[in-house]
Amino acid sequence: MGLGFLPLGLAFGALVTQSGLDWWWAGLSAALVFGGSFEFLLIGMVTAAAPLTAIAVSALLVNVRHVFYTLSFPLHRVRGRLGKAYSTYAMCDEAYALATGERASAWSSRRILWLQFFLHLYWAGSSTVGALLGSFIPGSVTGLDFALTALFTVLALDAVRDLRGDVPTPVLAVLSALAARLVFPGQMLLVAFALFTAALLVRRVTTSRKPRHA
């Protein structure tokens, strides 16, 4: 899992320097923010001098899924206030997937914390190396900012295949993006996230009210 962080971290670090930011910005962001998808988004917002309120709302919308992760993440097995604080801070998709699996049901506090620490280290280290090597990448090379999008596209395709014919979620996502693009092109990302979240909530409420037949 940690090795999977390397190409994304290298791409992120190289994108930082190609965007005109100093190389150390990549390592600092990776270590302090530690939110891969949001960090890719943050590069464009920083270079565009986006307002702090827009950055804060974007961070909330992108990372709000972590609130639901905590409902099943084995934080109760992590010992000590400092350990619990770091485990909460270092929460990421990969750590959640590994620590909540059936094989991890007997993992100790130390093992959970070491898992999160090494994932954190892989991301910060590869981002720093990518930033240092970014100056050697020709400016004609494009697509680094699409690395994370490509990863989530592949994951989304796998998820769609598992829906077994139920495809409303991708349709809602596409419709939300199109509506945001047409109505609020300057704030497309924020509006698309808000519309998609609202659509999911409406669908949840309406489907839960449908009578169930034996």
Side-chain angles (χ1 to χ4, degrees):
M1 188 69 75
L3 293 177
F5 274 27
L6 295 181
L8 288 177
L10 292 173
F12 170 71
L15 182 63
V16 165
T17 54
Q18 287 193 351
S19 299
L21 300 172
D22 293 329
W23 67 269
W24 52 263
W25 197 92
L28 184 65
S29 172
L32 297 182
V33 179
F34 192 42
S37 53
F38 175 66
E39 288 181 64
F40 275 88
L41 174 63
L42 185 61
I43 295 176
M45 301 187 78
V46 169
T47 55
L52 290 178
T53 53
I55 295 177
V57 172
S58 299
L60 175 64
L61 293 175
V62 172
N63 295 316
V64 71
R65 66 188 186 280
H66 290 182
V67 175
F68 302 97
Y69 284 174
T70 58
L71 298 177
S72 52
F73 188 82
L75 190 63
H76 61 280
R77 283 194 268 126
V78 178
R79 297 180 179 177
R81 292 184 179 179
L82 184 60
K84 290 182 182 294
Y86 177 75
S87 183
T88 303
Y89 169 74
M91 176 77 69
C92 64
D93 300 328
E94 293 76 9
Y96 175 82
L98 290 174
T100 56
E102 184 177 353
R103 296 183 178 180
S105 59
W107 283 7
S108 64
S109 171
R110 177 176 295 183
R111 183 163 184 176
I112 295 173
L113 288 173
W114 276 116
L115 163 70
Q116 293 185 273
F117 172 77
F118 276 111
L119 289 177
H120 197 173
L121 184 63
Y122 268 109
W123 177 247
S126 59
S127 298
T128 303
V129 172
L132 291 172
L133 298 178
S135 58
F136 298 100
I137 299 178
S140 58
V141 176
T142 59
L144 293 175
D145 54 340
F146 194 73
L148 194 67
T149 305
L151 171 64
F152 280 109
T153 300
V154 173
L155 295 176
L157 291 175
D158 289 337
V160 169
R161 294 191 187 100
D162 294 336
L163 290 175
R164 300 178 181 178
D166 182 21
V167 199
T169 301
V171 172
L172 289 177
V174 172
L175 291 177
S176 299
L178 290 176
R181 176 64 177 174
L182 292 175
V183 182
F184 297 100
Q187 298 291 333
M188 176 182 172
L189 186 63
L190 293 177
V191 176
F193 271 129
L195 290 176
F196 184 54
T197 303
L200 291 176
L201 291 174
V202 171
R203 187 185 68 177
R204 174 65 177 173
V205 171
T206 55
T207 54
S208 62
R209 290 180 179 176
K210 290 182 179 180
R212 297 181 180 180
H213 302 283

